[in-house]
Amino acid sequence: MSNELVISSTQKGDRIALLQNKRLLEYHEEELDSSFTVGDLYLGTVKKLSSGLNAAFVDVGHEKDGFLHYQDLGPNVNSLNKFVKDIIAKRVTTGRLNGMKLEPEIEKIGKIDKVLTKNAPILVQVVKEPISTKGPRLSCDISIAGRYLVLVPFSDGVNLSKKITDRAERSRLIRLMSSIKPQNFGIIVRTVAQGKDVEELDRDLQNSLDKWEQAVKVLAEAKPRDRVLGEMNRASSILRDMLNESFDSITVDTRESYDEIRNYIHTIAPEKEKIVKLYNGKTKVFEALGLEKQLKSLFGRSVSLPGGGYLIIEHTEALHVIDVNSGNKSNSEEDQEATAISVNREAAKEIARQLRLRDMGGIIVVDFIDMKKQENKKLLQDIMRDEMKSDRSKFTILPLTKFGLMQITRQRVRPEMNIVTREVCPTCGGTGTIQASVLVTDVIENNLDYILTRQNERGVSIAVHPFLHAYFTKGFYSRQIQWYVKYKTWIKLVKDSSLGIVNFKFYNKSGDEIEVGSGA
């Protein structure tokens, strides 16, 4: 099984695609200077205490105050609050907690107004990004995630991932981490730490301690609403969590991203540094690797299955509904039960992929094709659980009901990814009647003439739909050749499947878009 990461940098931010065996598995769009990312630390101010909700609303600079529930305070919030006040007052100047006497832990079931006071400064971490009309979900149980370990300030235990099942390995890791962890810091050992030697684990621990120390330095000078520590970008986060021996390619299309990713991999896994590649092709990297086409086909309401079946995916305010249909598959199997289990198997694999791809969260109800045999129902649940075991989000899968419905809950910490897969005609605006589409070629040539003769631009390129690209380049004496003869300069044509069939964009030699009358 091969894993590949493709990163395309645009003026708005980065587009990140994770591929497994050449098939799109995860897709992210990361805006430049995006704030309130999961893992970010902010210096907030307690604005309101709600005894009914047993929660506080904290101002961290978002238009909606962040939500902090009592259960998310963490047992050592009193130690954290005392430390924050000491740092702001300059009574403490370091993030090292050696010799610090921790405050008593708060009650597991208590009242928020006994712990926090209105208008007090508070250090919080984003655990759920702002979604829809809600502000960010916050926590005071601070943690700094590394590759092998998670560092927990103001704690003192060593905990291991439940997925580490070997008793001897668990004992080794607990003994090892207890010997190297600093005072008043807790450690959570991640699954990927299995088999790693003390040198690698200690290096990861020191990197996390350095991050914490950096955050404390920023905190000393911070004003309310300031971000104290930013989580690494989405691409580095994926690499931190997933980089292993099956990762064989990381492709980026800018020198800046190439250097950044290469330096990060040199820090966490030097032996993998050579898998980073800089793409220099003429077409966009997503276009060249066929990812634009995959995106268009995978984010629609209807998703095809390999054997002829298909899924219908509907989104409502309360939940997501997925309907499994057999399509023309119903004619190819001997009996109905065989058809049902065959289509349901394929559907389970695709649904697990779609949940990650769209980052769907909350309640998901799947209407599988009805099966009569109980062993087949149990098998389907096992298949679904097996397909989702590599999902980094927490999830729960319930058995099929007697109506053939499977209920899944999946943790969502970011807004759901949605890509428009149906193109609205730019001429008619969706009314259903348009000017003859062939006229778009005249519009392009008129704009081109204006740009070359009136604005005296050189090194011009035009991004067009593949159909238009074929029209302008076909034949020995193509339109593109005719332009060269007429204007004495070569006009570069770039295929771009993300554009509508009658859309186009002009770019200058620096790669900046040229504003034109229509089509862009």
Side-chain angles (χ1 to χ4, degrees):
M1 183 183 294
S2 68
N3 287 303
E4 300 174 64
L5 198 67
V6 181
I7 306 166
S8 176
S9 298
T10 67
Q11 291 178 341
K12 293 181 180 179
D14 289 342
R15 303 173 73 199
I16 304 163
L18 176 65
L19 280 68
Q20 197 170 79
N21 297 331
K22 303 296 181 184
R23 296 173 73 233
L24 195 60
L25 187 65
E26 287 186 25
Y27 176 70
H28 306 276
E29 290 181 350
E30 187 173 61
E31 295 181 2
L32 293 174
D33 301 322
S34 58
S35 27
F36 308 107
T37 301
V38 172
D40 286 354
L41 293 181
Y42 279 86
L43 178 61
T45 305
V46 178
K47 283 296 180 185
K48 181 183 176 183
L49 297 171
S50 173
S51 55
L53 295 171
N54 202 18
F57 290 91
V58 181
D59 179 12
V60 287
H62 190 264
E63 57 184 344
K64 295 278 187 179
D65 288 341
F67 182 78
L68 175 63
H69 193 270
Y70 184 89
Q71 297 296 330
D72 293 322
L73 290 176
N76 294 294
V77 64
N78 287 331
S79 299
L80 172 66
N81 288 340
K82 180 178 181 294
F83 178 77
V84 169
K85 289 175 183 175
D86 287 345
I87 288 290
I88 292 173
K90 304 292 193 293
R91 290 190 291 268
V92 175
T93 57
T94 176
R96 304 289 169 166
L97 306 177
N98 296 353
M100 178 184 174
K101 184 180 179 183
L102 297 182
E103 298 293 310
E105 293 186 0
I106 63 172
E107 299 175 19
K108 286 188 176 180
I109 302 174
K111 295 295 182 182
I112 194 117
D113 54 8
K114 302 293 184 186
V115 180
L116 302 181
T117 55
K118 193 176 177 182
N119 296 323
I122 185 170
L123 185 66
V124 290
Q125 187 165 35
V126 177
V127 294
K128 193 172 185 179
E129 293 177 13
I131 297 175
S132 186
T133 59
K134 299 175 182 176
R137 180 82 183 248
L138 307 173
S139 171
C140 288
D141 203 0
I142 307 298
S143 60
I144 311 292
R147 176 154 165 72
Y148 304 118
L149 313 166
V150 178
L151 184 70
V152 185
F154 312 104
S155 182
D156 204 29
V158 176
N159 295 298
L160 272 63
S161 164
K162 292 178 181 177
K163 293 180 181 178
I164 302 176
T165 54
D166 184 82
R167 185 175 294 179
E169 180 64 4
R170 289 182 70 87
S171 177
R172 181 187 81 92
L173 288 170
I174 289 175
R175 188 173 63 252
L176 197 61
M177 297 317 304
S178 298
S179 66
I180 66 173
K181 83 171 189 65
Q183 186 183 3
N184 291 330
F185 282 95
I187 299 290
I188 301 171
V189 182
R190 308 179 74 173
T191 310
V192 287
Q194 292 183 87
K196 302 301 177 185
D197 58 37
V198 64
E199 185 181 357
E200 287 181 280
L201 297 175
D202 186 56
R203 184 170 65 233
D204 193 48
L205 175 61
Q206 294 307 317
N207 286 340
S208 295
L209 284 168
D210 289 344
K211 282 185 190 176
W212 170 250
E213 194 71 52
Q214 177 192 343
V216 170
K217 286 180 182 177
V218 175
L219 178 63
E221 308 298 331
K223 297 181 178 63
R225 298 181 163 196
D226 280 359
R227 181 162 59 180
V228 173
L229 178 67
E231 174 62 288
M232 63 180 62
N233 62 43
R234 198 72 54 86
S236 298
S237 175
I238 291 172
L239 290 173
R240 179 191 67 197
D241 294 344
M242 299 191 66
L243 187 64
N244 54 32
E245 57 278 357
S246 70
F247 233 101
D248 52 20
S249 175
I250 301 167
T251 305
V252 297
D253 61 358
T254 64
R255 171 61 63 175
E256 184 181 354
S257 295
Y258 175 80
D259 292 338
E260 182 184 343
I261 294 291
R262 198 174 170 89
N263 288 338
Y264 177 65
I265 291 184
H266 180 75
T267 304
I268 65 168
E271 72 282 0
K272 284 283 183 182
E273 203 175 332
K274 61 182 180 295
I275 69 174
V276 187
K277 302 166 188 171
L278 179 62
Y279 175 79
N280 290 313
K282 294 180 180 179
T283 57
K284 293 179 180 179
V285 62
F286 269 49
E287 187 73 39
L289 298 178
L291 297 181
E292 292 288 6
K293 188 175 180 180
Q294 283 200 53
L295 285 170
K296 290 287 185 183
S297 64
L298 290 171
F299 276 86
R301 178 175 175 267
S302 175
V303 178
S304 299
L305 298 175
Y310 61 95
L311 307 176
I312 298 294
I313 303 176
E314 299 280 6
H315 307 279
T316 73
E317 192 68 26
L319 47 78
H320 306 280
V321 182
I322 303 176
D323 184 34
V324 180
N325 296 278
S326 60
N328 57 23
K329 181 80 173 176
S330 56
N331 300 322
S332 61
E333 299 285 353
E334 293 180 4
D335 61 72
Q336 187 177 349
E337 188 78 5
T339 299
I341 190 61
S342 175
V343 176
N344 286 342
R345 274 174 177 270
E346 288 184 349
K349 293 180 180 180
E350 184 60 37
I351 288 166
R353 178 190 182 196
Q354 287 288 329
L355 297 184
R356 285 182 70 177
L357 192 59
R358 303 184 189 215
D359 203 6
M360 292 161 64
I363 301 172
I364 301 110
V365 177
V366 185
D367 183 9
F368 283 104
I369 298 172
D370 288 341
M371 297 178 294
K372 295 178 182 177
K373 296 180 180 178
Q374 191 60 39
E375 60 267 29
N376 286 339
K377 294 181 179 181
K378 177 68 170 63
L379 175 64
L380 184 60
Q381 186 186 4
D382 292 341
I383 292 171
M384 196 75 212
R385 187 175 286 113
D386 190 55
E387 291 294 328
M388 288 188 68
K389 69 182 180 183
S390 59
D391 196 327
R392 289 177 293 155
S393 294
K394 295 177 183 176
F395 62 87
T396 304
I397 301 172
L398 297 183
L400 283 167
T401 69
K402 64 179 180 179
F403 298 118
L405 302 177
M406 179 181 286
Q407 298 168 69
I408 303 170
T409 62
R410 184 176 181 274
Q411 183 188 39
R412 183 174 68 184
V413 296
R414 298 183 177 91
E416 182 183 332
M417 178 58 63
N418 188 29
I419 292 176
V420 177
T421 57
R422 296 191 177 189
E423 296 166 359
V424 175
C425 172
T427 307
C428 76
T431 60
T433 56
I434 63 168
Q435 187 180 14
S437 57
V438 71
L439 293 181
V440 69
T441 59
D442 295 338
V443 176
I444 290 174
E445 292 189 331
N446 290 339
N447 281 317
L448 179 64
D449 186 75
Y450 182 85
I451 288 169
L452 295 179
T453 59
R454 301 285 186 87
Q455 296 183 346
N456 294 317
E457 288 277 2
R458 286 295 180 267
V460 172
S461 60
I462 314 173
V464 292
H465 188 279
F467 288 175
L468 280 175
H469 184 277
Y471 173 77
F472 285 126
T473 56
K474 70 175 181 179
F476 176 75
Y477 195 54
S478 66
R479 288 292 184 98
Q480 192 177 26
I481 297 294
Q482 293 174 39
W483 294 342
Y484 179 71
V485 171
K486 181 177 180 180
Y487 299 111
K488 304 296 188 289
T489 184
W490 184 252
I491 311 302
K492 182 181 176 184
L493 287 166
V494 181
K495 293 180 186 176
D496 190 344
S497 299
S498 65
L499 293 174
I501 194 167
V502 289
N503 288 69
F504 55 86
K505 290 183 179 181
F506 282 84
Y507 295 95
N508 62 23
K509 62 183 178 183
S510 302
D512 298 323
E513 187 176 346
I514 303 172
E515 292 295 331
V516 292
S518 62

